[in-house]
Amino acid sequence: MSKRNTQQRRHTIIKLLEEQGKLSVDELAQRFETSEVTIRKDLTALEQNGLLLRRYGGAIPIPKEFLPEVETDKVSQCKIEIAIAAALRIRDHNRIIIDSGTTTASLIEQLANKKGLITMTNSLQVANALNGLENEPTLLMTGGTWDPHSESFQGQIAEQVLRSYDFDQLFIGADGIDLERGSTTFNELIGLSRVMAEVSREVVVMVESDKISRKMPNLELAWDNIHTLITDADITDEQRCAIEAKNINVIIASRSSFLVKT
């Protein structure tokens, strides 16, 4: 089949998904009179381009909350405030892990005055930002298998590399915070996050308040594996109390100087 026909078929798949909300591999193979292997390749390619999510036997649309949006000044300021509060917890010569993600990446700029840092990451974006700091922290990378969906390295090799070290702190984001379970994600690749937590003395979740109580299918880190949660001032008192009841240190970024528990 020609490249043009492949593109047309994939375009039609997206259109059908918008109309029906869910598609199966078997249904698509029959519709296009092609093999299930070809359809699976189509769905994989479309997922890698952020146009759908693969599910067993088929695909579903990308949830609206994960579609790219123009970031507002308020959201940007929230990320900066969270990053400043996180940086206050980092001492000179600490050994830290910075996970992939836009909120964790905002931490880099706040590290410019830290001395002797040793930093590990699975993100090329974070690595490049760290490499640009004038204080030149020691930079380590997990390596592993590149995951285009999370734009980070994942897999067993990355996990083995992490287990060769120990760290003072892990700074990690979340797609959602389940008040009962812990941090959650729509990404099914959660093994590396758990190893990051295993090798770190303190696990710090950096998350904007609008993600608290947002339900996601996959539990990334249970509350037992988290020590500190840093968020913005829009967290409700009810949410804060529920999280603190799990023995979590909650830091509200804009007021962190007097809300940090000792």
Side-chain angles (χ1 to χ4, degrees), residues 25 40 52 77 105 133 156 162 177 187 220 229 235 247:
V25 171
R40 290 193 184 95
L52 54 74
Q77 187 61 34
L133 293 178
Q156 292 185 357
L162 276 168
I177 296 294
N187 195 332
E220 187 165 27
L229 183 140
I235 184 176
N247 200 31

Side-chain angles (χ1 to χ4, degrees), residues 112-129:
N113 295 320
K114 305 291 182 181
K115 299 177 182 177
L117 290 182
I118 297 176
T119 57
M120 169 75 82
T121 187
N122 62 332
S123 164
L124 288 177
Q125 178 189 2
V126 170
N128 288 330

Side-chain angles (χ1 to χ4, degrees), residues 76-231:
S76 298
Q77 187 61 34
C78 285
K79 290 182 186 294
I80 293 170
E81 289 174 353
I82 291 169
I84 291 171
L88 290 173
R89 305 189 65 78
I90 302 174
R91 298 180 179 180
D92 290 345
H93 306 288
N94 269 15
R95 300 161 62 90
I96 65 175
I97 304 173
I98 303 176
D99 191 24
S100 60
T102 56
T103 305
T104 47
S106 66
L107 176 61
I108 309 304
E109 188 177 339
Q110 309 304 324
L111 303 180
N113 295 320
K114 305 291 182 181
K115 299 177 182 177
L117 290 182
I118 297 176
T119 57
M120 169 75 82
T121 187
N122 62 332
S123 164
L124 288 177
Q125 178 189 2
V126 170
N128 288 330
L130 286 166
N131 193 47
L133 293 178
E134 292 186 6
N135 56 339
E136 298 183 344
T138 299
L139 175 59
L140 306 172
M141 289 207 69
T142 62
T145 302
W146 180 253
D147 172 42
H149 190 75
S150 64
E151 296 187 347
S152 63
F153 290 101
Q154 303 285 341
Q156 292 185 357
I157 292 176
E159 293 173 15
Q160 290 171 8
V161 170
L162 276 168
R163 288 195 172 102
S164 301
Y165 298 87
D166 63 89
F167 296 89
D168 297 300
Q169 293 157 307
L170 161 64
F171 295 91
I172 187 169
D175 295 317
I177 296 294
D178 187 314
L179 295 176
E180 291 300 320
R181 298 190 298 161
S183 68
T184 58
T185 180
F186 65 90
N187 195 332
E188 296 179 354
L189 298 175
I190 53 180
L192 190 65
S193 298
R194 293 177 178 177
V195 174
M196 287 179 174
E198 287 174 15
V199 300
S200 302
R201 294 183 182 86
E202 181 187 19
V203 176
V204 181
V205 175
M206 302 169 61
V207 64
E208 291 163 272
S209 61
D210 63 358
K211 295 182 178 179
I212 297 175
S213 296
R214 180 187 287 178
K215 298 290 186 180
M216 297 290 156
N218 301 312
L219 177 66
E220 187 165 27
L221 295 177
W223 286 124
D224 288 345
N225 302 121
I226 298 170
H227 303 90
T228 301
L229 183 140
I230 304 177
T231 190

Side-chain angles (χ1 to χ4, degrees), residues 41-86:
K41 288 180 179 178
D42 288 339
L43 298 182
T44 297
L46 291 169
E47 182 180 53
Q48 289 174 349
N49 285 300
L51 298 172
L52 54 74
L53 287 179
R54 291 291 307 277
R55 286 296 179 263
Y56 181 76
I60 61 173
I62 297 284
K64 290 182 179 179
E65 59 264 33
F66 301 131
L67 293 175
E69 296 179 355
V70 177
E71 191 174 63
T72 64
D73 291 339
K74 180 180 178 181
V75 173
S76 298
Q77 187 61 34
C78 285
K79 290 182 186 294
I80 293 170
E81 289 174 353
I82 291 169
I84 291 171

